[in-house]
Amino acid sequence: GGGDGEGGAWDDGDADDAERDDDGGGSGDGGGAELRAMQTRLGVRALPTLRPSARLGAVVPAAWEAAADELCSDLRAAGVGTAPPVVLLCGPRNVGKSSFARLLCNRALSGGQPLAFLECDVGQPEMTMPGMVALHVLRAPLLGPPHTHLRAPLHCRFAGDASPAADPRAYVACVSELLECWRRELPGTALVVNTCGWVSGLGLQLLADVAHVAQPTTLVCLHRPAAEASAERLLATLGAAAAAARRLLLPGLAGSAEAALTAGLVGAGPSAADCRALSLLAYLGALPAGARALPGSDGGYAAEAWQRPLRRLLARPPAVVPLAAVNVRFLHATVDATEHLHALNATLVALGRGGGGGGCEVLGLGIVRSVDERAAELYVLTPIDDGALATVDTILRGSLELPLALMQ
């Protein structure tokens, strides 16, 4: 994965504390003038002044640093024969849950032990494509934005939408199944659970259901500025579902001085919808090398840098899948069997094995590029290797749409 995106711009190791003068470097007026002249010539900017206690690593609230160190001591103490710690992260949208998750996981991994990670945020997952609930075993740090470090999960389920609202019962079932996989296959391995940012109404009930089945040892809630009371109520609700958990309240990035500094350095990041598109394109091999954002306009996809990987994807020979050889499931709609081919044509689908019931193990995603009505066959573009593809017996169609880049 890349190292020049959110959470990986700078080393998050044990860098010494640093002090910078108001010019960002140099000494005296002469040094500041020379630095400004050099910035003009090179077209770069010096880092703004950091507080004396700031670290040279990722710029995060001081409370995050202390919380990460405290939680890491628990995560590293996990071992076979003892009840492993489970840290569940929650909070509203855009408060930095994923950023804190990366900080926590990367610091815990520095101890040399693997770490389990359960991704429950189907709208903006960290290591998989949108619409998926996935269980990972981490052994290497997470560097760069999500689309630069996509990883094959240990187990995966397909919720089929960027929000659990599409089928709340199925979403909770997906989470429960993967927690059982973790308990059965990774005894003694500490677990970090990242949740979505829907924390009101039905979303709050779903979050409480996730807390109930996960039974975390620590609940970490990130909150917006001046919203501590709402965060405390959220923790109280989740605490009723996981009574044994200790509760930790942390300030979110939104509105913090650190967030303002980071925005000034790297600019605003892509939206959640753009992040989903970037991850899908990266997974399919249709993203230009080094891309960190989508084009600013639809016409930007006509650039050669974008057209080259798109042509390479479309030139790939598709897999031929006889409709009779797979069980087709439409997750959020009822479709007559006579219309299956039409409903699948030019759509994004999940490819899995395990039959038509619950517990279908998802191997990856594919694009139904075209269908042959006479032969009742699907032509599917997918990065899944031929050996794994031969085991696919289920096609799941959710509500996810193809990225705009593939519609040009």
Side-chain angles (χ1 to χ4, degrees), residues 115-154:
L115 180 68
F117 187 89
L118 180 59
E119 183 58 82
C120 302
D121 188 350
V122 293
Q124 204 167 347
E126 184 66 30
M127 289 170 280
T128 51
M129 291 67 69
M132 292 187 170
V133 182
L135 176 64
H136 296 266
V137 178
L138 303 183
R139 293 183 174 86
L142 303 172
L143 304 176
H147 70 272
T148 64
H149 52 242
L150 299 179
R151 301 181 183 182
L154 179 64

Side-chain angles (χ1 to χ4, degrees), residues 327-373:
N327 176 41
V328 177
R329 293 172 54 193
F330 291 88
L331 301 184
H332 309 135
T334 301
V335 179
D336 189 270
T338 60
E339 298 296 328
H340 279 189
L341 285 174
H342 293 156
L344 291 172
N345 193 23
T347 64
L348 192 66
V349 297
L351 306 172
R353 61 186 176 214
C360 178
E361 184 69 37
V362 172
L363 305 180
L365 300 182
I367 299 172
V368 180
R369 183 174 178 182
S370 61
V371 300
D372 185 334
E373 290 189 68

Side-chain angles (χ1 to χ4, degrees), residues 229-280:
S230 296
E232 289 173 354
R233 287 194 296 271
L234 173 59
L235 280 178
T237 300
L238 300 186
R246 63 170 174 165
R247 306 170 190 179
L248 187 59
L249 200 62
L250 292 178
L253 279 180
S256 68
E258 291 85 354
L261 173 59
T262 303
L265 293 173
V266 302
S271 66
D274 283 358
C275 286
R276 289 193 289 270
L278 287 167
S279 291
L280 285 170

Side-chain angles (χ1 to χ4, degrees), residues 27 47 82 92 100 104 147 207-208 235 297 325 357 380:
S27 59
L47 297 176
T82 62
F100 182 73
L104 177 61
H147 70 272
L207 192 55
L235 280 178
S297 65
V380 182

Side-chain angles (χ1 to χ4, degrees), residues 45-271:
R45 286 186 297 161
L47 297 176
T49 302
L50 298 179
R51 63 183 185 277
S53 61
R55 301 179 62 177
L56 290 179
V59 182
V60 297
W64 284 26
E65 294 275 1
D69 287 339
E70 179 183 350
L71 292 170
C72 280
S73 63
D74 295 338
L75 295 174
R76 291 171 182 163
V80 178
T82 62
V86 178
V87 177
L88 187 144
L89 308 178
C90 64
R93 296 179 179 89
N94 301 320
V95 293
K97 291 189 299 297
S98 295
S99 297
F100 182 73
R102 282 194 293 271
L103 172 69
L104 177 61
C105 291
N106 290 349
R107 193 158 297 179
L109 288 170
S110 66
Q113 294 176 304
L115 180 68
F117 187 89
L118 180 59
E119 183 58 82
C120 302
D121 188 350
V122 293
Q124 204 167 347
E126 184 66 30
M127 289 170 280
T128 51
M129 291 67 69
M132 292 187 170
V133 182
L135 176 64
H136 296 266
V137 178
L138 303 183
R139 293 183 174 86
L142 303 172
L143 304 176
H147 70 272
T148 64
H149 52 242
L150 299 179
R151 301 181 183 182
L154 179 64
H155 292 289
C156 185
R157 300 292 185 268
F158 188 59
D161 195 89
S163 169
D167 192 339
R169 191 186 302 272
Y171 171 76
V172 175
C174 289
V175 174
S176 298
E177 290 170 9
L178 294 185
L179 283 167
E180 286 304 312
C181 292
W182 166 69
R183 294 183 178 107
R184 182 176 62 251
E185 301 178 25
L186 300 169
T189 303
L191 175 68
V192 173
V193 181
N194 190 35
T195 62
C196 63
W198 187 19
V199 296
S200 61
L202 177 59
L204 178 57
Q205 180 58 56
L206 289 174
L207 192 55
D209 289 342
V210 170
H212 176 71
V213 294
Q215 287 300 300
T217 54
T218 303
L219 285 166
V220 180
C221 181
L222 287 83
H223 62 82
R224 296 192 176 106
E228 291 89 345
S230 296
E232 289 173 354
R233 287 194 296 271
L234 173 59
L235 280 178
T237 300
L238 300 186
R246 63 170 174 165
R247 306 170 190 179
L248 187 59
L249 200 62
L250 292 178
L253 279 180
S256 68
E258 291 85 354
L261 173 59
T262 303
L265 293 173
V266 302
S271 66

